[in-house]
Amino acid sequence: YSRFKLSIKVHFCGFDTAVFKEIFSYSIFVFLAEIVDNVNWSIDQIILGVVQGTKEVAVYSVASTYNQLVTALSGCISSVMLPGISAMVARKEDDKKINALFIKSCRIQIYTIFLVFCGFALVGKSFENPYKYDTLQDAFLYQTRLEANTRLC
């Protein structure tokens, strides 16, 4: 497509070691940041496993998964608004217009997450445990507490 439709010719000759070293050094820091981020987001489960046991970690993992889904939903909403904000910045529009769009984006985000949280708090118990496992009975309570703590504090 790029060669025939866009008339772009790609040449793979010559190897620029300076660029490769720069990309590699940046990639190492991104890799380390991902490892630290992974440990940071799972430290609560590690501590819970040391203090309590595997049953509590399983229940908390179910609650944590719901929290991660709501966080991903929040990120999706902001990523939908990002192109519009980027276009406004590129056109060098007034800061008041950009701030108004940021506020609109944040309001849509908080309203959506609030509706998801309230819906889950009201009717989520009936959907929580379809297989009736005794070990997951507390997951709804943990999910509601975790979500309320994450979003409201």
Side-chain angles (χ1 to χ4, degrees):
Y1 177 81
S2 63
R3 183 174 185 184
F4 297 112
K5 294 285 184 181
L6 300 176
S7 300
I8 297 174
K9 295 181 181 178
V10 180
H11 299 284
F12 292 107
C13 59
F15 186 74
D16 193 358
T17 56
V19 173
F20 179 75
K21 286 180 183 178
E22 192 172 325
I23 291 172
F24 184 74
S25 65
Y26 177 73
S27 299
I28 290 293
F29 287 116
V30 170
F31 178 69
L32 290 175
E34 286 297 319
I35 290 174
V36 169
D37 191 47
N38 195 4
V39 170
N40 185 34
W41 281 105
S42 62
I43 194 73
D44 49 355
Q45 294 175 9
I46 294 169
I47 292 172
L48 189 61
V50 170
V51 174
Q52 292 292 320
T54 57
K55 177 183 171 186
E56 287 78 11
V57 172
V59 172
Y60 185 78
S61 294
V62 171
S64 179
T65 300
Y66 171 75
N67 188 24
Q68 291 171 354
L69 288 172
V70 175
T71 302
L73 173 67
S74 173
C76 289
I77 293 170
S78 61
S79 67
V80 166
M81 301 297 256
L82 182 64
I85 294 171
S86 298
M88 290 177 74
V89 170
R91 289 190 306 257
K92 299 184 191 283
E93 291 199 20
D94 186 31
D95 286 344
K96 289 184 179 183
K97 289 182 181 179
I98 295 172
N99 284 340
L101 188 57
F102 267 118
I103 291 169
K104 180 182 175 184
S105 170
C106 291
R107 284 184 180 157
I108 291 170
Q109 202 171 7
I110 196 69
Y111 292 155
T112 305
I113 290 175
F114 183 72
L115 285 173
V116 168
F117 173 70
C118 288
F120 182 77
L122 293 174
V123 296
K125 182 80 171 160
S126 60
F127 297 106
E128 177 58 37
N129 199 358
Y131 302 109
K132 305 297 180 205
Y133 291 128
D134 292 334
T135 58
L136 297 178
Q137 292 299 323
D138 295 331
F140 173 76
L141 180 63
Y142 291 154
Q143 285 175 344
T144 309
R145 285 182 182 170
L146 184 63
E147 188 63 29
N149 187 30
T150 303
R151 303 293 171 221
L152 301 177
C153 293

